Amino acid sequence: LERVKAYRAAVDERMLVLLDRHDLAPDTQAEIAELVELGLQHEQQHQELILTDLKHLLACNPLNPVYRPAWPLAPVTAVEHAWCDFAGGLVEIGHAGEGFAFDNETPRHAVHLRPFALGNRLVTNGEWLEFIEAGGYGEPRWWLSAGWDWVRQQRVEAPMYWRHRADAQGASGWACFTLHGEVPVDPHTPVVSVSLYEADAYARWRAEVTGEPLRLPTEAEWEHAALQAPQPFAWGVVWEWTASPFEPFDGFQAHPYRDYSRPWFDGRPVLRGASYLTQPRMRHRRYRNFFGADRNDIVAGFRSCAA
C-alpha cells in the first residue's frame, strides 16, 4: 500500500509541475489540457469500476461483509409498466459540440428510426422471477448460440448476485448481495447484474408469453427517447443494455488520444444511461458504455422495446 501511495504522489507531483509551466506554446498548452481532461474523465470511469470489483470481492466472502450499511437506496414502489410511443423518422444523435465528450460520442449525425415504443421503466426482479420459474435458463430456444454456451459453461441459473436462502420457518426464497449487504430480492426493484445474453433471452421469452414484438432497443432509439422533453422515462439507476454494437459513428475521428476508443470497436454491446455508482459528471444521455455480452458483474439491467 505504501508503494502504491508513493507512486501516486510522484505522479501527482510531476503533473503539477507540468501544469504550472508557463513557457509552453499555446497550442501545446491546449493539447496538454485536452489530454488532462480526458484523463480526469477516464479516472471517474475507474472509480465506478473499483466499486464494481469491490462488490465482486466482498460477494466471494462467506461472511457477507458490508461496504456501506444503507438500504434501501430509495423507497421502492411498484411502477405499472406502460409504453412510451415514438414516431421515429430522421433524428440526430451524438455529441452536439458543447462541453466535454469522449471521441466515440462524435460526430453528431442523423439516423432513421422506424416507429417504436420503449418501456417507461426497467424490467424488475419480479418479472425476472417469472422468467426463472418458467424455466428460462434451461430452454435453449430463448438464447443466442453464444449465450446458451455461456449459460451451460458457467452454470448460470439466476442473476449473478442472487442466492437461495431459507427463512426461520424453512421457506426458501431469493436474496441478493449488494454493497449494503445481503437483502431480500424486492419484486419492484429493477433487476441488475444480468448479462446481455440474459437480457436478450428474457426479451425473446416475454415476447412469446405476451404476443408482443419485444426486443432490446438500439442505442439510437434509447438516446432519442431519453432526450425527449418532457422526459418519457426515468434513467440513471442502472446501465441499460442495448442491441447495438460498440462501433464508430460515421465520420468518427479519434481525439485527442488516438487509442482511447479505437481498440474497443470490436462489436461489444453498448450500454446507455448510468448507474447509481456513476460519478455525477459522467451522467448524460449521450454516454456510450460498453462491456462484453457475458458480463453479469456490472450494475446493468434493461428495458423492453416494441416495434
Side-chain angles (χ1 to χ4, degrees), residues 41 45 93-109 219 223 246-249 252-253 255 260-261 265 272 281-282 284-289:
Q41 295 282 347
Q45 293 175 311
I93 66 169
H95 181 59
E98 298 179 0
F100 174 83
F102 291 106
D103 58 7
N104 61 66
E105 298 169 20
T106 64
R108 189 165 180 80
H109 60 288
E219 65 168 322
E223 180 174 327
F246 185 60
E247 295 178 344
F249 291 153
F252 166 82
Q253 292 185 352
H255 182 79
Y260 181 77
S261 298
F265 291 144
R272 286 302 194 103
R281 291 184 181 179
M282 306 291 291
H284 61 79
R285 298 171 179 86
R286 300 182 316 274
Y287 187 91
R288 305 177 73 201
N289 205 349

Side-chain angles (χ1 to χ4, degrees), residues 79-82 119-124 127 233-234 302-304:
V79 177
E80 184 177 356
H81 183 274
N120 64 321
R121 61 162 173 78
L122 295 155
V123 172
T124 65
E127 291 166 328
F233 56 80
F302 66 102
R303 71 182 70 222
S304 297

Side-chain angles (χ1 to χ4, degrees), residues 5-33:
K5 289 181 177 179
Y7 171 77
R8 176 59 187 266
V11 171
D12 287 348
E13 181 180 357
R14 296 180 188 186
M15 286 300 301
L16 290 172
V17 170
L18 174 64
L19 295 175
D20 198 40
R21 289 184 61 177
H22 302 288
D23 59 333
L24 301 174
D27 289 349
T28 302
Q29 290 180 334
E31 182 179 358
I32 291 173

Side-chain angles (χ1 to χ4, degrees), residues 48-281:
E48 178 168 353
L49 292 175
I50 286 172
L51 288 171
T52 302
D53 289 344
L54 180 61
K55 178 181 178 181
H56 184 271
L57 176 66
L58 298 180
C60 295
N61 188 319
L63 299 179
N64 294 327
V66 175
Y67 173 72
R68 179 174 295 173
W71 189 266
L73 296 176
V76 179
T77 57
V79 177
E80 184 177 356
H81 183 274
W83 292 110
C84 301
D85 295 315
F86 299 92
L90 195 64
V91 304
E92 289 192 341
I93 66 169
H95 181 59
E98 298 179 0
F100 174 83
F102 291 106
D103 58 7
N104 61 66
E105 298 169 20
T106 64
R108 189 165 180 80
H109 60 288
V111 295
H112 186 271
L113 300 179
R114 296 180 180 275
F116 68 98
L118 207 56
N120 64 321
R121 61 162 173 78
L122 295 155
V123 172
T124 65
N125 289 331
E127 291 166 328
W128 197 265
L129 279 168
E130 296 176 19
F131 176 66
I132 294 176
E133 292 168 357
Y137 280 97
E139 179 52 67
R141 66 187 173 126
W142 308 130
W143 297 82
L144 296 169
S145 178
W148 182 241
D149 289 342
W150 174 76
V151 165
R152 291 187 300 168
Q153 292 169 5
Q154 301 298 322
R155 299 181 180 179
V156 182
E157 298 178 344
M160 183 171 187
Y161 293 110
W162 285 27
R163 302 156 175 185
H164 267 300
R165 291 290 185 261
D167 61 22
Q169 288 73 40
S172 63
W174 288 100
C176 179
F177 183 82
T178 75
L179 287 171
H180 314 283
E182 190 173 271
V183 299
V185 167
D186 180 87
H188 308 308
T189 298
V191 65
V192 298
S193 297
V194 291
S195 67
L196 174 89
Y197 293 142
E198 291 168 284
D200 181 79
Y202 173 91
R204 295 171 192 270
W205 168 78
R206 181 64 74 177
E208 179 162 308
V209 170
T210 63
E212 297 178 292
L214 302 183
R215 57 175 173 82
L216 296 180
T218 66
E219 65 168 322
E221 290 170 333
W222 193 98
E223 180 174 327
H224 174 64
L227 289 172
Q228 299 303 296
Q231 185 173 320
F233 56 80
W235 63 274
V237 178
V238 305
W239 291 104
E240 301 185 31
W241 289 109
T242 76
S244 298
F246 185 60
E247 295 178 344
F249 291 153
D250 289 344
F252 166 82
Q253 292 185 352
H255 182 79
Y257 175 55
R258 67 180 181 86
D259 284 334
Y260 181 77
S261 298
R262 194 188 302 275
W264 308 104
F265 291 144
D266 59 1
R268 300 167 191 236
V270 171
L271 299 100
R272 286 302 194 103
S275 83
Y276 63 87
L277 298 180
T278 306
Q279 294 294 317
R281 291 184 181 179

